Amino acid sequence: TLVSSENVPIYIGRNNKQNDHVTMHLADRDDLFVHIKDLPGPHVILAASKSPVTERSVEEAVYLAVAMSKFPFPQSVDY
């Protein structure tokens, strides 16, 4: 578990097993799910249910999804 600069928990799955765990067991329905669109990659969960989320925290979660992707220049990110 990481924490954004604004103290919002961030959960990251780095492989299929971890992605399933963070998505199905750690994420709440009010959390923000971030991933690279149309490509395999990490699942990043911004725990919006635990802390108020600002644009800065969203940008940090998007950055982590891109930085941990195997694709250096993804076309877009979904959240």
Coordinates of all heavy atoms in Angstrom, one line a residue:
T1 N 0.8 -1.2 0.0 CA 0.0 0.0 0.0 C 0.9 1.2 0.0 O 1.8 1.4 0.8 CB -0.9 0.0 1.2 OG1 -1.7 -1.1 1.3 CG2 -1.8 1.2 1.2
L2 N 0.6 2.1 -0.9 CA 1.3 3.4 -0.9 C 0.3 4.5 -0.4 O -0.9 4.2 -0.3 CB 1.7 3.8 -2.4 CG 2.7 2.8 -3.1 CD1 2.9 3.2 -4.5 CD2 4.0 2.8 -2.3
V3 N 0.7 5.7 -0.3 CA -0.1 6.8 0.2 C 0.2 8.0 -0.7 O 1.4 8.3 -0.9 CB 0.1 7.1 1.7 CG1 -0.7 8.3 2.1 CG2 -0.1 5.9 2.5
S4 N -0.8 8.6 -1.2 CA -0.6 9.8 -2.0 C 0.0 10.9 -1.2 O 0.0 10.8 0.1 CB -1.9 10.3 -2.6 OG -2.7 11.0 -1.7
S5 N 0.4 12.0 -1.8 CA 0.9 13.1 -1.1 C -0.1 13.8 -0.2 O 0.2 14.6 0.7 CB 1.5 14.2 -2.1 OG 0.5 14.7 -2.9
E6 N -1.4 13.4 -0.4 CA -2.5 14.0 0.4 C -3.1 12.9 1.3 O -4.2 13.0 1.8 CB -3.5 14.6 -0.5 CG -2.9 15.7 -1.3 CD -3.9 16.3 -2.3 OE1 -4.6 15.5 -3.0 OE2 -3.9 17.5 -2.4
N7 N -2.2 11.9 1.6 CA -2.6 10.8 2.6 C -3.8 9.9 2.2 O -4.5 9.4 3.0 CB -2.8 11.3 4.0 CG -1.5 11.9 4.5 OD1 -0.4 11.3 4.3 ND2 -1.5 13.0 5.2
V8 N -4.0 9.8 0.9 CA -5.0 8.9 0.4 C -4.3 7.5 0.1 O -3.4 7.5 -0.7 CB -5.7 9.4 -0.9 CG1 -6.8 8.4 -1.4 CG2 -6.3 10.8 -0.6
P9 N -4.8 6.4 0.6 CA -4.2 5.1 0.3 C -4.3 4.8 -1.2 O -5.3 5.1 -1.8 CB -5.0 4.1 1.2 CG -5.6 5.0 2.3 CD -5.9 6.3 1.7
I10 N -3.3 4.2 -1.7 CA -3.2 3.7 -3.1 C -2.8 2.2 -3.1 O -1.8 1.9 -2.5 CB -2.2 4.5 -3.9 CG1 -2.6 6.0 -3.9 CG2 -2.2 4.0 -5.3 CD1 -1.6 6.9 -4.6
Y11 N -3.6 1.4 -3.7 CA -3.3 0.0 -3.8 C -2.9 -0.3 -5.2 O -3.6 0.1 -6.1 CB -4.5 -0.9 -3.4 CG -5.1 -0.5 -2.1 CD1 -6.4 0.0 -2.0 CD2 -4.4 -0.6 -0.9 CE1 -7.0 0.3 -0.8 CE2 -5.0 -0.3 0.3 CZ -6.3 0.2 0.4 OH -6.8 0.5 1.6
I12 N -1.9 -1.1 -5.4 CA -1.4 -1.4 -6.8 C -1.2 -2.9 -6.9 O -0.5 -3.5 -6.1 CB -0.1 -0.7 -7.0 CG1 -0.2 0.8 -6.9 CG2 0.4 -1.0 -8.4 CD1 1.0 1.6 -6.9
G13 N -1.8 -3.4 -8.0 CA -1.5 -4.8 -8.4 C -0.5 -4.8 -9.5 O -0.7 -4.0 -10.5
R14 N 0.6 -5.6 -9.4 CA 1.6 -5.6 -10.4 C 1.6 -6.8 -11.3 O 2.4 -6.9 -12.3 CB 3.0 -5.4 -9.7 CG 3.1 -4.1 -9.0 CD 4.5 -3.9 -8.4 NE 4.5 -2.6 -7.9 CZ 4.8 -2.3 -6.6 NH1 4.9 -3.3 -5.7 NH2 4.8 -1.1 -6.2
N15 N 0.7 -7.7 -11.1 CA 0.6 -8.9 -11.9 C -0.9 -9.4 -11.8 O -1.7 -8.8 -11.1 CB 1.6 -10.0 -11.5 CG 1.4 -10.4 -10.1 OD1 0.3 -10.6 -9.5 ND2 2.5 -10.6 -9.4
N16 N -1.3 -10.4 -12.5 CA -2.7 -10.9 -12.5 C -3.2 -11.2 -11.2 O -4.3 -10.8 -10.8 CB -2.8 -12.1 -13.5 CG -2.7 -11.7 -14.9 OD1 -2.8 -10.5 -15.3 ND2 -2.4 -12.7 -15.7
K17 N -2.4 -11.9 -10.4 CA -2.8 -12.3 -9.0 C -3.0 -11.1 -8.1 O -4.0 -11.0 -7.4 CB -1.8 -13.3 -8.4 CG -2.3 -13.9 -7.1 CD -1.3 -14.9 -6.7 CE -1.7 -15.6 -5.4 NZ -0.8 -16.6 -4.9
Q18 N -2.1 -10.2 -8.2 CA -2.2 -9.0 -7.3 C -3.3 -8.1 -7.8 O -4.0 -7.5 -7.0 CB -0.9 -8.2 -7.4 CG 0.2 -8.9 -6.6 CD 1.6 -8.1 -6.7 OE1 1.6 -7.0 -7.3 NE2 2.6 -8.7 -6.1
N19 N -3.5 -8.0 -9.2 CA -4.6 -7.2 -9.7 C -5.9 -7.7 -9.2 O -6.8 -6.9 -8.8 CB -4.6 -7.2 -11.2 CG -3.5 -6.3 -11.8 OD1 -2.9 -5.5 -11.2 ND2 -3.2 -6.5 -13.1
D20 N -6.1 -9.0 -9.2 CA -7.4 -9.6 -8.7 C -7.5 -9.2 -7.3 O -8.6 -8.9 -6.8 CB -7.4 -11.1 -8.9 CG -7.6 -11.5 -10.3 OD1 -8.0 -10.7 -11.2 OD2 -7.4 -12.7 -10.7
H21 N -6.5 -9.3 -6.5 CA -6.6 -9.1 -5.0 C -7.0 -7.6 -4.7 O -7.9 -7.4 -4.0 CB -5.2 -9.4 -4.3 CG -5.3 -9.2 -2.9 ND1 -6.0 -10.0 -2.0 CD2 -4.7 -8.3 -2.1 CE1 -5.9 -9.6 -0.8 NE2 -5.1 -8.5 -0.8
V22 N -6.3 -6.7 -5.4 CA -6.6 -5.3 -5.1 C -8.0 -4.9 -5.6 O -8.7 -4.1 -4.9 CB -5.5 -4.3 -5.6 CG1 -4.2 -4.5 -4.9 CG2 -5.4 -4.3 -7.1
T23 N -8.4 -5.5 -6.7 CA -9.6 -5.1 -7.3 C -10.8 -5.8 -6.6 O -11.8 -5.1 -6.3 CB -9.7 -5.5 -8.8 OG1 -8.6 -4.9 -9.5 CG2 -11.0 -5.1 -9.5
M24 N -10.7 -7.0 -6.2 CA -11.8 -7.8 -5.7 C -11.8 -7.8 -4.1 O -12.9 -8.0 -3.5 CB -11.7 -9.2 -6.1 CG -11.7 -9.3 -7.6 SD -13.1 -8.5 -8.4 CE -14.1 -9.8 -9.0
H25 N -10.7 -7.6 -3.5 CA -10.6 -7.7 -2.0 C -10.3 -6.4 -1.3 O -10.7 -6.2 -0.1 CB -9.6 -8.8 -1.6 CG -10.0 -10.1 -2.1 ND1 -11.0 -10.9 -1.6 CD2 -9.5 -10.8 -3.2 CE1 -11.1 -12.0 -2.3 NE2 -10.2 -12.0 -3.3
L26 N -9.5 -5.5 -1.9 CA -9.2 -4.3 -1.2 C -10.0 -3.1 -1.6 O -10.3 -2.2 -0.8 CB -7.7 -3.9 -1.4 CG -6.7 -5.0 -0.9 CD1 -5.2 -4.5 -1.3 CD2 -6.8 -5.2 0.6
A27 N -10.4 -3.1 -2.8 CA -11.2 -1.9 -3.4 C -12.6 -1.9 -2.8 O -13.2 -2.9 -2.7 CB -11.2 -1.9 -4.9
D28 N -13.1 -0.7 -2.6 CA -14.5 -0.4 -2.2 C -15.2 0.1 -3.4 O -14.5 0.7 -4.3 CB -14.5 0.6 -1.1 CG -15.9 0.8 -0.5 OD1 -16.4 -0.1 0.2 OD2 -16.5 1.8 -0.8
R29 N -16.5 0.0 -3.5 CA -17.2 0.5 -4.7 C -17.1 2.0 -4.9 O -17.3 2.4 -6.0 CB -18.7 0.0 -4.6 CG -19.5 0.7 -3.5 CD -20.9 0.2 -3.4 NE -21.7 1.1 -2.8 CZ -22.9 1.4 -3.1 NH1 -23.5 0.7 -4.1 NH2 -23.6 2.3 -2.5
D30 N -16.7 2.7 -3.9 CA -16.6 4.2 -4.0 C -15.1 4.6 -4.3 O -14.9 5.8 -4.5 CB -17.0 4.9 -2.7 CG -18.5 4.7 -2.5 OD1 -19.3 4.7 -3.5 OD2 -18.9 4.6 -1.3
D31 N -14.2 3.6 -4.5 CA -12.9 3.9 -4.8 C -12.7 4.2 -6.3 O -13.6 3.8 -7.1 CB -11.9 2.8 -4.4 CG -11.8 2.6 -2.9 OD1 -12.2 3.5 -2.1 OD2 -11.4 1.5 -2.4
L32 N -11.6 4.8 -6.6 CA -11.3 5.1 -8.0 C -10.3 4.1 -8.6 O -9.3 3.8 -8.0 CB -10.7 6.5 -8.1 CG -10.4 7.0 -9.5 CD1 -11.7 7.3 -10.2 CD2 -9.6 8.3 -9.4
F33 N -10.7 3.4 -9.7 CA -9.9 2.4 -10.3 C -9.2 3.0 -11.5 O -9.9 3.6 -12.4 CB -10.9 1.3 -10.8 CG -10.3 0.2 -11.6 CD1 -9.3 -0.6 -11.1 CD2 -10.6 0.1 -12.9 CE1 -8.7 -1.6 -11.9 CE2 -10.1 -0.9 -13.7 CZ -9.1 -1.8 -13.2
V34 N -7.9 2.8 -11.6 CA -7.1 3.4 -12.7 C -6.4 2.3 -13.4 O -5.8 1.5 -12.7 CB -6.1 4.5 -12.2 CG1 -5.3 5.1 -13.3 CG2 -6.8 5.6 -11.4
H35 N -6.4 2.3 -14.7 CA -5.6 1.4 -15.5 C -5.3 1.9 -16.9 O -6.0 2.8 -17.4 CB -6.3 0.0 -15.6 CG -7.6 0.0 -16.3 ND1 -7.6 -0.4 -17.6 CD2 -8.8 0.4 -16.0 CE1 -8.9 -0.3 -18.1 NE2 -9.6 0.2 -17.1
I36 N -4.4 1.3 -17.6 CA -4.0 1.7 -19.0 C -5.1 1.1 -19.9 O -5.5 -0.1 -19.8 CB -2.7 1.1 -19.4 CG1 -1.6 1.5 -18.4 CG2 -2.4 1.5 -20.8 CD1 -1.4 3.0 -18.3
K37 N -5.7 2.0 -20.7 CA -6.8 1.6 -21.5 C -6.3 0.6 -22.6 O -5.4 0.9 -23.3 CB -7.5 2.8 -22.2 CG -8.7 2.5 -23.0 CD -9.4 3.7 -23.5 CE -10.6 3.3 -24.2 NZ -11.3 4.5 -24.7
D38 N -7.1 -0.5 -22.8 CA -6.9 -1.5 -23.8 C -5.5 -2.2 -23.8 O -5.1 -2.7 -24.9 CB -7.1 -0.8 -25.2 CG -8.6 -0.3 -25.4 OD1 -9.5 -0.9 -24.8 OD2 -8.7 0.7 -26.1
L39 N -4.8 -2.2 -22.7 CA -3.5 -2.9 -22.6 C -3.4 -3.5 -21.3 O -4.0 -3.0 -20.3 CB -2.4 -1.9 -22.8 CG -2.2 -1.2 -24.1 CD1 -1.1 -0.1 -24.0 CD2 -1.8 -2.2 -25.2
P40 N -2.7 -4.6 -21.2 CA -2.5 -5.2 -19.9 C -1.6 -4.3 -19.0 O -0.8 -3.6 -19.6 CB -1.8 -6.6 -20.2 CG -1.2 -6.4 -21.5 CD -2.0 -5.4 -22.2
G41 N -1.8 -4.3 -17.7 CA -1.0 -3.5 -16.9 C -1.5 -3.5 -15.4 O -2.4 -4.2 -15.1
P42 N -0.9 -2.7 -14.6 CA -1.2 -2.7 -13.2 C -2.6 -2.1 -13.0 O -3.1 -1.3 -13.7 CB -0.2 -1.8 -12.6 CG 0.2 -0.9 -13.7 CD 0.1 -1.7 -14.9
H43 N -3.3 -2.6 -11.9 CA -4.5 -2.0 -11.4 C -4.2 -1.1 -10.3 O -3.5 -1.6 -9.4 CB -5.5 -3.1 -10.9 CG -6.1 -3.9 -12.0 ND1 -7.2 -4.8 -11.8 CD2 -5.8 -4.0 -13.4 CE1 -7.5 -5.4 -12.9 NE2 -6.7 -4.9 -13.9
V44 N -4.6 0.1 -10.4 CA -4.3 1.1 -9.3 C -5.6 1.5 -8.7 O -6.5 2.0 -9.4 CB -3.5 2.3 -9.9 CG1 -3.2 3.3 -8.8 CG2 -2.2 1.8 -10.5
I45 N -5.7 1.4 -7.4 CA -7.0 1.8 -6.7 C -6.6 2.9 -5.8 O -5.8 2.8 -4.9 CB -7.5 0.6 -5.9 CG1 -7.7 -0.7 -6.7 CG2 -8.8 1.0 -5.1 CD1 -8.7 -0.6 -7.8
L46 N -7.3 4.0 -6.0 CA -7.2 5.2 -5.1 C -8.4 5.1 -4.2 O -9.5 5.2 -4.6 CB -7.3 6.5 -6.0 CG -7.0 7.8 -5.3 CD1 -5.7 7.8 -4.6 CD2 -7.2 8.9 -6.3
A47 N -8.1 5.0 -2.9 CA -9.1 4.7 -1.9 C -9.9 5.9 -1.5 O -9.8 6.5 -0.4 CB -8.4 4.1 -0.6
A48 N -10.8 6.3 -2.4 CA -11.7 7.4 -2.3 C -12.6 7.2 -1.1 O -13.1 8.2 -0.5 CB -12.4 7.7 -3.6
S49 N -12.9 6.0 -0.8 CA -13.9 5.7 0.3 C -13.2 6.0 1.7 O -14.0 6.1 2.7 CB -14.3 4.3 0.2 OG -13.2 3.4 0.4
K50 N -11.9 6.1 1.7 CA -11.2 6.3 3.0 C -10.8 7.8 3.2 O -10.6 8.2 4.4 CB -10.0 5.4 3.1 CG -10.4 3.9 3.1 CD -9.2 3.0 3.2 CE -9.5 1.6 3.3 NZ -10.7 1.1 2.8
S51 N -10.7 8.5 2.2 CA -10.2 9.9 2.3 C -10.8 10.7 1.1 O -11.0 10.2 0.1 CB -8.7 10.0 2.2 OG -8.1 9.3 3.3
P52 N -11.0 12.0 1.3 CA -11.4 12.9 0.2 C -10.3 12.9 -0.9 O -9.1 12.9 -0.6 CB -11.5 14.3 0.8 CG -11.6 14.1 2.3 CD -10.9 12.8 2.6
V53 N -10.7 12.8 -2.1 CA -9.8 12.7 -3.2 C -9.8 14.0 -4.0 O -10.8 14.6 -4.3 CB -10.2 11.5 -4.2 CG1 -9.4 11.6 -5.4 CG2 -10.1 10.2 -3.5
T54 N -8.6 14.5 -4.2 CA -8.4 15.7 -5.0 C -7.8 15.4 -6.4 O -7.3 14.2 -6.6 CB -7.5 16.7 -4.3 OG1 -6.2 16.1 -4.2 CG2 -8.0 17.0 -2.9
E55 N -7.8 16.4 -7.2 CA -7.2 16.2 -8.6 C -5.7 15.7 -8.4 O -5.2 14.9 -9.2 CB -7.3 17.4 -9.4 CG -6.8 17.3 -10.8 CD -7.1 18.5 -11.6 OE1 -7.9 19.4 -11.2 OE2 -6.4 18.7 -12.6
R56 N -5.0 16.2 -7.5 CA -3.6 15.9 -7.3 C -3.4 14.4 -7.0 O -2.6 13.7 -7.5 CB -3.0 16.7 -6.1 CG -1.5 16.4 -5.9 CD -1.0 17.4 -4.9 NE 0.4 17.1 -4.7 CZ 1.2 17.8 -4.0 NH1 0.8 18.9 -3.4 NH2 2.5 17.5 -3.9
S57 N -4.3 13.8 -6.1 CA -4.2 12.4 -5.8 C -4.5 11.6 -7.0 O -3.9 10.5 -7.3 CB -5.1 12.1 -4.6 OG -4.6 12.6 -3.4
V58 N -5.5 12.0 -7.8 CA -5.9 11.3 -9.1 C -4.7 11.3 -10.0 O -4.3 10.3 -10.6 CB -7.1 11.9 -9.7 CG1 -7.4 11.3 -11.1 CG2 -8.3 11.8 -8.8
E59 N -4.0 12.5 -10.2 CA -2.9 12.6 -11.0 C -1.8 11.6 -10.6 O -1.1 11.0 -11.4 CB -2.4 14.0 -11.1 CG -3.3 14.9 -11.9 CD -2.9 16.4 -11.8 OE1 -1.9 16.7 -11.0 OE2 -3.5 17.2 -12.4
E60 N -1.6 11.5 -9.3 CA -0.5 10.6 -8.8 C -0.9 9.1 -9.1 O 0.0 8.3 -9.4 CB -0.4 10.8 -7.3 CG 0.3 12.2 -7.0 CD 0.3 12.5 -5.5 OE1 -0.2 11.8 -4.7 OE2 0.8 13.6 -5.2
A61 N -2.2 8.8 -8.9 CA -2.6 7.4 -9.3 C -2.4 7.1 -10.7 O -1.9 6.0 -11.1 CB -4.0 7.2 -8.8
V62 N -2.7 8.1 -11.6 CA -2.5 7.9 -13.0 C -1.0 7.8 -13.3 O -0.6 6.9 -14.1 CB -3.2 9.1 -13.8 CG1 -2.7 9.1 -15.3 CG2 -4.7 9.1 -13.7
Y63 N -0.2 8.6 -12.7 CA 1.2 8.5 -12.9 C 1.7 7.1 -12.6 O 2.5 6.5 -13.3 CB 2.0 9.6 -12.1 CG 3.5 9.4 -12.1 CD1 4.2 9.8 -13.2 CD2 4.1 8.7 -11.1 CE1 5.6 9.6 -13.3 CE2 5.5 8.4 -11.2 CZ 6.2 8.9 -12.3 OH 7.5 8.7 -12.3
L64 N 1.3 6.6 -11.4 CA 1.7 5.2 -11.0 C 1.3 4.2 -12.0 O 2.0 3.2 -12.3 CB 1.2 4.9 -9.6 CG 1.8 5.7 -8.5 CD1 1.0 5.5 -7.2 CD2 3.3 5.2 -8.3
A65 N 0.1 4.3 -12.5 CA -0.4 3.3 -13.5 C 0.5 3.3 -14.8 O 0.8 2.3 -15.3 CB -1.9 3.6 -13.9
V66 N 0.8 4.5 -15.2 CA 1.7 4.6 -16.4 C 3.1 4.2 -16.1 O 3.7 3.4 -16.8 CB 1.7 6.1 -16.9 CG1 2.7 6.3 -18.0 CG2 0.3 6.4 -17.4
A67 N 3.7 4.6 -15.0 CA 5.0 4.3 -14.6 C 5.3 2.8 -14.4 O 6.3 2.3 -14.7 CB 5.4 5.1 -13.4
M68 N 4.3 2.1 -13.9 CA 4.4 0.7 -13.7 C 4.0 -0.2 -14.8 O 4.0 -1.4 -14.8 CB 3.7 0.3 -12.4 CG 4.3 1.0 -11.2 SD 3.4 0.5 -9.7 CE 4.5 1.1 -8.5
S69 N 3.5 0.4 -15.9 CA 3.1 -0.3 -17.1 C 4.4 -0.8 -17.9 O 5.4 -0.2 -17.8 CB 2.3 0.6 -18.0 OG 2.1 0.0 -19.2
K70 N 4.2 -1.8 -18.6 CA 5.3 -2.3 -19.5 C 5.3 -1.6 -20.8 O 6.2 -1.7 -21.6 CB 5.1 -3.8 -19.8 CG 5.2 -4.7 -18.5 CD 4.9 -6.1 -18.9 CE 5.0 -7.0 -17.6 NZ 4.6 -8.3 -17.8
F71 N 4.4 -0.7 -21.0 CA 4.3 0.1 -22.2 C 4.7 1.5 -21.9 O 4.0 2.2 -21.1 CB 2.9 0.0 -22.8 CG 2.4 -1.4 -23.1 CD1 1.7 -2.1 -22.1 CD2 2.8 -2.0 -24.2 CE1 1.3 -3.4 -22.3 CE2 2.4 -3.3 -24.5 CZ 1.7 -4.0 -23.5
P72 N 5.8 2.0 -22.5 CA 6.3 3.3 -22.1 C 5.4 4.5 -22.5 O 5.4 5.5 -21.8 CB 7.7 3.4 -22.8 CG 7.5 2.4 -24.0 CD 6.6 1.4 -23.5
F73 N 4.6 4.3 -23.5 CA 3.8 5.4 -24.0 C 2.4 5.0 -24.2 O 2.0 4.8 -25.4 CB 4.4 6.1 -25.2 CG 5.8 6.6 -25.0 CD1 6.9 5.9 -25.5 CD2 6.0 7.8 -24.3 CE1 8.1 6.3 -25.3 CE2 7.3 8.2 -24.1 CZ 8.4 7.5 -24.6
P74 N 1.6 4.7 -23.2 CA 0.2 4.2 -23.4 C -0.6 5.3 -24.0 O -0.4 6.5 -23.9 CB -0.3 3.9 -22.0 CG 0.6 4.7 -21.1 CD 1.9 4.8 -21.8
Q75 N -1.6 4.9 -24.8 CA -2.4 5.8 -25.5 C -3.3 6.6 -24.6 O -3.5 7.7 -24.7 CB -3.3 5.0 -26.6 CG -2.4 4.4 -27.6 CD -1.6 5.5 -28.4 OE1 -2.2 6.5 -28.8 NE2 -0.4 5.2 -28.6
S76 N -3.9 5.9 -23.6 CA -4.8 6.6 -22.7 C -4.9 5.8 -21.4 O -4.7 4.6 -21.3 CB -6.1 6.9 -23.3 OG -6.8 5.7 -23.6
V77 N -5.4 6.5 -20.4 CA -5.6 5.8 -19.1 C -7.1 6.0 -18.7 O -7.7 7.0 -18.9 CB -4.8 6.5 -18.0 CG1 -5.1 6.0 -16.6 CG2 -3.3 6.4 -18.3
D78 N -7.7 4.9 -18.2 CA -9.1 4.9 -17.8 C -9.2 5.1 -16.3 O -8.4 4.5 -15.6 CB -9.8 3.6 -18.1 CG -10.4 3.5 -19.5 OD1 -10.5 4.6 -20.2 OD2 -10.7 2.4 -20.0
Y79 N -10.2 5.8 -15.8 CA -10.4 5.9 -14.4 C -11.9 6.3 -14.2 O -12.6 6.7 -15.1 CB -9.5 6.8 -13.7 CG -9.4 8.2 -14.1 CD1 -10.2 9.2 -13.5 CD2 -8.5 8.7 -15.1 CE1 -10.2 10.5 -13.9 CE2 -8.5 10.0 -15.5 CZ -9.3 10.9 -14.9 OH -9.2 12.2 -15.2

